[in-house]
């Protein structure tokens, strides 16, 4: 949904009621204050099985050429035991631990020690110190936006090594992929556990904490809204973007290098995956300031869901297409390659232009043109925990008049293009589109539940004006 926010203190005094506002705020932002049985069951399922899912997918490629069925068949027919599969799995090594520790430390240094300079010479790029959205407690955090700079710096060093210095092989990530997975898991669990302890004993802002009393739910969904160390190290911004997303393109490049090493060429399908996913990653960092207004930063608390998810789930399952193409190099026909490229570009165009319309609407307070006309909108109001009244404008023009989450539709088109590049021999590369469909559909519902709690009857007016969520005329 396209939204713009503003604060009107003079009207705050007319409507302020601290007790009622505090109660209202408990359902307006972030995760739940109380846990129903279904939510708890979902949390327990993910905590138990999400790490196993990651292991199963990566193990299937390492031992079964990316077949998801053959491991099950072997186990059911007793051709192999679990211990046989486990014993063939590479374990944590000192080399992998050293690589991963150096990688994370390097990204931390780039994040907190190197103020952004890209915004000084790149036209229309927004970097440097930027303000985030208002938190439930009415706080506006400041962030050092330097992700694009970190990405460029990292990749310049990568290519300098690959073509000049030769300190390490470009296949280093693929060659240590499973040992690195154990390192990523350790970091994911350590940072999630630390975040929970911090939320209990030394939170950055106690008013932005939520406790349900259920250990598992609080551990997964997080207690603190914006946990920080010092002035600038923000857990959510760092782990959402780095080290996982900076690594995304490096991982794909390592896959391409391995394909070159094994087969003497890089297939056009591998190039497509690198290009299309590279565009997505670059878009993320080019618009990192805009990302401060998205659901991950504006609504989600920081727990295992983000901490472990960004360390393990994202780099290991979002890159399955490139991993698959190492084991099964697919050379697409020209027409198929062009068709997939066009689908990816159209998906990206919809994703980017939809978000651009929302950002333009927000920045200009609606004083702009969308598709050549002044945008239409519905004005809504909501309260912070402090009792301050804020106003939002929900746009009903442009792509946002077609569907309430049309940016997700473009995202799904791009996700499908990644998968189609791998052909149809195995199902494993298509996990991504299945997962993204579930994730974004659930996010639609989750976001709209929050918005209904936040805006009340104003949200019902908005959904009446824009009745579809993802697909106009369908859903």
């Amino acid at each position: 949904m396209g939204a713009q926010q503003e604060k009107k203190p003079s009207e705050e005094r007319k409507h302020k009621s601290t007790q009622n506002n505090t109660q209202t705020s408990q359902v307006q932002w972030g995760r739940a204050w109380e846990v129903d049985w279904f939510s708890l069951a979902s949390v327990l399922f993910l905590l138990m099985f999400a790490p196993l899912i990651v292991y199963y997918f990566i193990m299937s490629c390492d031992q079964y050429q990316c077949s998801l069925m053959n491991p099950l068949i072997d186990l059911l027919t007793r051709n192999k035991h679990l211990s046989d599969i486990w014993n063939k799995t590479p374990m944590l090594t000192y080399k992998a631990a050293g690589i991963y520790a150096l990688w994370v430390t390097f990204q931390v240094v780039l994040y907190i020690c190197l103020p952004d300079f890209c915004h000084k010479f790149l036209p229309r790029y927004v970097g440097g110190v930027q303000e985030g959205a208002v938190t439930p407690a009415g706080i506006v955090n400041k962030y050092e936006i330097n992700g694009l700079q970190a990405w460029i710096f990292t990749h310049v060093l990568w290519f300098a090594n690959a073509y000049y210095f030769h300190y390490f092989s470009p296949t280093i990530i693929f060659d240590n992929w499973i040992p690195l997975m154990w390192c990523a898991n350790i970091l994911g669990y350590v940072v999630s556990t630390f975040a929970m302890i911090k939320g209990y004993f030394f939170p950055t802002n106690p008013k932005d904490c939520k406790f349900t009393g259920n250990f598992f739910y609080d551990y997964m969904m997080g207690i603190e809204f914006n946990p920080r160390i010092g002035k600038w190290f923000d857990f959510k911004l760092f782990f959402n973007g780095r080290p996982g997303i900076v690594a995304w393109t490096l991982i794909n490049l390592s896959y391409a290098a391995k394909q070159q090493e094994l087969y003497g060429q890089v297939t056009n399908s591998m190039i497509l995956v690198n290009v299309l996913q590279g565009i997505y990653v670059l878009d993320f960092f080019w618009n990192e300031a805009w990302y401060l207004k998205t659901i991950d930063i504006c609504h989600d608390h920081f727990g295992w869901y983000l901490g472990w998810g960004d360390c393990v789930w994202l780099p290991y399952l979002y890159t399955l297409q490139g991993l698959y193409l190492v084991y099964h190099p697919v050379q697409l026909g020209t027409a198929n390659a062009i068709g997939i490229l066009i689908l990816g570009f159209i998906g990206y165009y919809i994703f980017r232009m939809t978000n651009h319309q929302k950002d333009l609407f927000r920045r200009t307070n609606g004083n702009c043109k969308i598709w050549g006309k002044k945008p239409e909108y519905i004005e809504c109001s909501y309260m912070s925990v402090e009792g301050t009244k804020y106003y939002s404008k929900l746009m009903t023009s442009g792509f946002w008049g077609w569907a309430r989450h049309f940016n997700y539709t473009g995202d799904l088109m791009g996700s499908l293009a990644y998968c189609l590049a791998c052909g149809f021999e195995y199902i494993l590369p298509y996990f991504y589109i299945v997962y993204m469909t579930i994730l974004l559909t659930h996010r639609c519902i989750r976001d709209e539940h929050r918005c209904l709690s936040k805006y009340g009857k104003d949200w019902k007016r908005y959904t009446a004006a824009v009745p579809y969520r993802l697909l106009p005329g369908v859903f």
Side-chain angles (χ1 to χ4, degrees), residues 55-108:
Y55 170 75
Y56 186 81
F57 274 75
I58 303 305
M59 176 277 299
S60 296
C61 284
D62 182 57
Q63 299 184 31
Y64 289 89
Q65 294 292 302
C66 297
S67 170
L68 293 178
M69 293 302 299
N70 286 346
L72 293 175
I73 292 172
D74 270 356
L75 292 172
L76 291 174
T77 59
R78 297 186 178 180
N79 188 36
K80 283 189 178 180
H81 299 286
L82 282 174
S83 59
D84 298 325
I85 294 174
W86 179 254
N87 290 334
K88 286 185 66 177
T89 302
M91 292 292 104
L92 178 64
T93 63
Y94 286 112
K95 181 179 180 180
I99 293 170
Y100 197 75
L102 182 62
W103 166 251
V104 175
T105 301
F106 181 58
Q107 291 305 314
V108 170

Side-chain angles (χ1 to χ4, degrees), residues 2 9 14 17 19 61 70 74 81 118 141 144 171 202 234 278 306 309 313 371 378 398 427 443 464:
K14 298 178 184 178
S17 170
Q19 181 179 359
C61 284
N70 286 346
D74 270 356
H81 299 286
C118 288
N141 289 309
E144 176 65 45
T171 66
F202 49 101
D234 184 90
L306 290 179
W313 187 272
W371 291 351
I378 291 174
I427 196 173
R443 181 167 287 193

Side-chain angles (χ1 to χ4, degrees), residues 450-470:
R450 289 168 173 165
C451 288
L452 177 61
S453 299
K454 183 175 179 179
Y455 297 121
K457 62 181 181 180
D458 291 333
W459 179 253
K460 293 181 179 179
R461 290 169 50 218
Y462 173 68
T463 56
V466 186
Y468 297 104
R469 284 190 172 115
L470 281 173

Side-chain angles (χ1 to χ4, degrees), residues 280-292:
Y280 182 89
V281 169
L282 269 174
D283 178 89
F284 174 87
F285 287 117
W286 182 270
N287 296 284
E288 191 176 17
W290 162 84
Y291 183 72
L292 299 178

Side-chain angles (χ1 to χ4, degrees), residues 280-426:
Y280 182 89
V281 169
L282 269 174
D283 178 89
F284 174 87
F285 287 117
W286 182 270
N287 296 284
E288 191 176 17
W290 162 84
Y291 183 72
L292 299 178
K293 312 293 183 180
T294 62
I295 189 172
D296 291 342
I297 301 295
C298 292
H299 291 286
D300 289 339
H301 291 239
F302 187 86
W304 186 87
Y305 173 76
L306 290 179
W308 180 88
D310 290 326
C311 289
V312 182
W313 187 272
L314 187 154
Y316 277 84
L317 295 190
Y318 285 25
T319 61
L320 281 176
Q321 291 77 34
L323 180 63
Y324 172 85
L325 291 171
V326 173
Y327 294 94
H328 299 277
V330 174
Q331 186 66 28
L332 298 166
T334 303
N336 289 340
I338 293 174
I340 292 169
L341 187 65
I342 290 172
L343 174 65
F345 281 167
I346 292 175
Y348 172 72
Y349 174 81
I350 292 173
F351 171 79
R352 174 46 36 219
M353 288 307 299
T354 306
N355 287 324
H356 170 72
Q357 288 178 356
K358 178 173 70 173
D359 185 55
L360 177 64
F361 179 76
R362 179 188 290 128
R363 283 189 289 106
T364 62
N365 193 23
N367 296 315
C368 60
K369 288 190 175 182
I370 302 295
W371 291 351
K373 299 186 298 183
K374 186 174 177 61
E376 298 177 356
Y377 59 86
I378 291 174
E379 189 162 357
C380 307
S381 62
Y382 62 94
M383 293 285 191
S384 74
V385 71
E386 301 262 329
T388 304
K389 191 166 189 176
Y390 291 89
Y391 287 81
S392 287
K393 294 174 181 176
L394 302 178
M395 183 168 58
T396 58
S397 295
F399 284 125
W400 297 99
W402 288 12
R404 301 194 292 271
H405 305 274
F406 204 63
N407 53 334
Y408 292 168
T409 305
D411 205 353
L412 290 173
M413 292 173 67
S415 300
L416 179 61
Y418 311 157
C419 302
L420 290 173
C422 298
F424 299 98
E425 186 176 357
Y426 287 91

Side-chain angles (χ1 to χ4, degrees), residues 31-35 200 210-215 217-218 223:
R31 59 172 182 76
W33 283 86
E34 297 179 355
V35 186
Y200 273 102
K210 279 189 176 181
F211 301 90
T212 64
N214 185 286
F215 172 84
Y217 190 87
D218 286 350
I223 292 172

